[in-house]
Amino acid sequence: MEVFYYMVFGGLGLVVAVLEFWSRKNNNKDNHRLTASCQSFSSFKNNYLLVYSLMMAGDWLQGPYVYYLYTTYGYGKGDIGQLFIAGFGSSMLFGTIVGSLADKQGRKRACITYCITYILSCMTKHSPHYKVLLLGRILGGIATSLLFSAFESWLVAEHNKRGFEQQWLSLTFSKAIFLGNGLIAIISGLFGNFLVDVVSLGPVAPFDAAACILAIGMAIILSSWGENYGDPSDNKNLLSQFKGAAVAIASDEKIALLGAIQSLFEGSMYTFVFLWTPALSPNDEEIPHGFIFATFMLASMLGSSVAARMMARSSPRVESYMQIVFLVSAASLLLPIVTNFFVAPSEVKGEGISLGSSIQLLGFCAFEGCVGIFWPSIMKMRSQYIPEEARSTIMNFFRIPLNIFVCIVLYNVNAFPITIMFGMCSIFLFVASVLQRRLLVITDKSKSGDWTSLKERDVETEPLNDD
């Protein structure tokens, strides 16, 4: 493997290590005070991080081997594409319904449903029959919707119910992304590689391991989590929940903007997942996919570390710095277009990574760093603006345009040049930055209005105090 890969991975690892060491050193007194004053929060946070890490491990173990498993069963690109479309379509349709039930039936039950559904999805991977695999993708789509709505909804509600400080929620979010979307992803990738390549247990082995890990996580949820609800009232059916969520989105511009921003960024992110391999090896250059994936996850860890430090401060606010994050991510995905014009492509097939691809790899690492900042930041904004009684329902509404977009991209992935696809993602990210600016303006006006009302009320009470 080329030295370049080691240099990028080592550089990112060094920066992450320095940031974490510096953060722990500077916050040692604060952490000691927090632990001494609120042991219950520390236990609560650690319990959630353990469960969330296990849930993400169950997801990450499967990711690198889904496509490979389908090819070993003899399916071509067209059939595999249909299976992936079925997964995202299921997430959009059935996942929205099941995820929305969490507000009424309970978030803990929804998290348990995630575990059961994903375990069943893993079990279908033992069958080479297309219809069974299709059922597995449908179950996986439902599970994905629950993963990205039920757990966060449970955390926010339980955090508030226990009376913990709102600022501490940001700490849990950033740690969850650092572990679940960074460290756990790297460990899961290495463990999956060990099962498949080192001990030669076959491509189904990571799915069996994922099912076992999900079962362990489910046992912890059953034994240690309490139940919480959005709106458990009996007079509200599913259609009423959908109407309520739609009204909340339509009547509150902040929620609508947040949903649009999330869909634009995540749509670009999932498109990037399909595009980075052909972008780095346009002439079938030999690239270490597993090592590059681990490098991306390390960049994401770096982003979550940066987000943790920024959210711990009162300034800049999340609504402010996320504008810059979206602009940086838009610029990073423009690099494939720039290198296509200004860097001569490699003429030799099958060699190592080219100069243009090396530049793109650095840009892709920057994009993954933005992803690491995005997740805890969007979680914090959702906790502030989405009403508790319909949190899961609204969050699943946000995923509808995302899933439609990804299905369209999957269906047409070979219809457009890769530079056009990256350009489209870059435009979406720029639009997300514009919408984020609008969200900042609205929240500033809201705070200014609250401050003005407070001052007027104080002035009105002054004569009474004088009397």
Side-chain angles (χ1 to χ4, degrees):
M1 192 158 54
E2 297 179 21
V3 177
F4 176 73
Y5 299 115
Y6 290 112
M7 290 177 62
V8 176
F9 187 88
L12 287 170
L14 180 62
V15 175
V16 170
V18 169
L19 271 178
E20 283 299 298
F21 176 77
W22 189 16
S23 177
R24 289 177 183 274
K25 183 178 178 181
N26 289 346
N27 296 326
N28 187 49
K29 292 182 180 180
D30 291 337
N31 289 338
H32 178 72
R33 178 177 57 82
L34 175 65
T35 303
S37 63
C38 194
Q39 281 284 351
S40 60
F41 170 72
S42 182
S43 300
F44 170 75
K45 180 192 69 174
N46 292 336
N47 174 272
Y48 178 79
L49 292 177
L50 173 61
V51 170
Y52 185 77
S53 296
L54 290 172
M55 299 301 104
M56 292 305 299
D59 187 50
W60 285 118
L61 269 169
Q62 301 177 55
Y65 295 97
V66 176
Y67 192 99
Y68 175 59
L69 177 68
Y70 293 155
T71 59
T72 62
Y73 286 150
Y75 295 107
K77 186 180 291 184
D79 291 330
I80 295 174
Q82 290 176 7
L83 287 170
F84 275 95
I85 290 173
F88 285 104
S90 168
S91 180
M92 176 181 64
L93 181 60
F94 304 116
T96 302
I97 297 172
V98 175
S100 299
L101 288 173
D103 288 326
K104 185 175 179 63
Q105 303 298 328
R107 279 73 178 268
K108 176 183 175 180
R109 287 193 184 95
C111 294
I112 294 170
T113 303
Y114 161 78
C115 297
I116 295 172
T117 306
Y118 227 177
I119 289 172
L120 292 174
S121 176
C122 291
M123 292 171 63
T124 64
K125 300 300 187 292
H126 283 272
S127 173
H129 298 293
Y130 192 81
K131 289 183 178 179
V132 177
L133 295 174
L134 185 65
L135 174 62
R137 290 301 301 173
I138 292 172
L139 292 171
I142 296 171
T144 300
S145 287
L146 291 170
L147 175 61
F148 291 108
S149 61
F151 288 89
E152 182 182 331
S153 297
W154 180 89
L155 170 65
V156 174
E158 197 69 17
H159 182 99
N160 293 331
K161 186 167 76 173
R162 299 190 184 198
F164 298 138
E165 290 186 21
Q166 192 66 27
Q167 187 64 28
W168 296 352
L169 193 58
S170 300
L171 175 63
T172 308
F173 284 149
S174 59
K175 287 296 181 184
I177 299 304
F178 182 85
L179 293 172
N181 289 34
L183 186 61
I184 295 299
I186 295 172
I187 294 174
S188 298
L190 295 175
F191 184 53
N193 182 75
F194 172 79
L195 293 174
V196 175
D197 296 332
V198 178
V199 295
S200 302
L201 294 178
V204 182
F207 298 92
D208 293 335
C212 294
I213 290 173
L214 290 168
I216 295 171
M218 182 170 64
I220 298 174
I221 293 173
L222 286 167
S223 61
S224 62
W225 281 25
E227 186 61 275
N228 60 57
Y229 303 86
D231 186 355
S233 57
D234 293 331
N235 60 346
K236 268 197 173 182
N237 55 29
L238 190 62
L239 184 60
S240 298
Q241 284 183 253
F242 285 160
K243 286 182 179 178
V247 168
I249 295 171
S251 61
D252 191 334
E253 189 178 357
K254 295 191 290 294
I255 299 177
L257 286 170
L258 202 59
I261 289 167
Q262 178 180 322
S263 296
L264 288 167
F265 187 90
E266 289 191 39
S268 301
M269 181 184 71
Y270 283 117
T271 304
F272 168 77
V273 170
F274 298 115
L275 297 181
W276 72 262
T277 296
L280 295 180
S281 55
N283 292 315
D284 299 322
E285 292 91 345
E286 294 181 3
I287 60 173
H289 294 84
F291 196 82
I292 291 175
F293 172 77
T295 303
F296 286 162
M297 294 304 100
L298 197 57
S300 180
M301 289 174 66
L302 174 59
S304 64
S305 293
V306 171
R309 297 179 66 83
M310 297 181 76
M311 288 193 297
R313 301 174 180 177
S314 57
S315 179
R317 290 166 49 207
V318 176
E319 293 84 357
S320 179
Y321 70 71
M322 282 306 295
Q323 298 174 87
I324 302 172
V325 171
F326 291 137
L327 287 175
V328 171
S329 60
S332 66
L333 293 190
L334 277 177
L335 278 178
I337 302 173
V338 174
T339 55
N340 185 59
F341 279 104
F342 295 104
V343 180
S346 174
E347 300 292 336
V348 184
K349 292 198 172 190
E351 286 195 345
I353 191 169
S354 64
L355 174 61
S357 296
S358 298
I359 296 172
Q360 290 179 43
L361 178 61
L362 296 176
F364 292 166
C365 287
F367 176 74
E368 285 291 344
C370 293
V371 171
I373 298 174
F374 168 80
W375 282 117
S377 302
I378 198 74
M379 287 175 175
K380 181 176 182 180
M381 287 190 288
R382 285 194 300 235
S383 71
Q384 293 173 336
Y385 301 130
I386 298 180
E388 179 58 40
E389 62 272 12
R391 185 177 300 279
S392 291
T393 307
I394 291 174
M395 287 174 64
N396 279 287
F397 265 43
F398 287 174
R399 296 187 63 81
I400 292 176
L402 162 67
N403 286 306
I404 292 174
F405 173 72
V406 174
C407 287
I408 293 172
V409 168
L410 275 172
Y411 190 77
N412 297 284
V413 70
N414 293 321
F416 300 99
I418 194 170
T419 51
I420 297 295
M421 302 293 281
F422 275 113
M424 177 186 65
C425 291
S426 187
I427 291 171
F428 284 174
L429 293 168
F430 177 77
V431 173
S433 179
V434 174
L435 297 180
Q436 185 67 50
R437 174 65 183 175
R438 174 62 182 167
L439 181 61
L440 175 64
V441 171
I442 292 174
T443 54
D444 282 344
K445 281 184 178 179
S446 177
K447 288 189 175 184
S448 175
D450 292 342
W451 175 249
T452 303
S453 299
L454 185 63
K455 285 185 69 177
E456 289 175 352
R457 193 163 61 242
D458 289 343
V459 170
E460 289 174 359
T461 57
E462 278 182 8
L464 297 176
N465 293 334
D466 291 340
D467 292 343

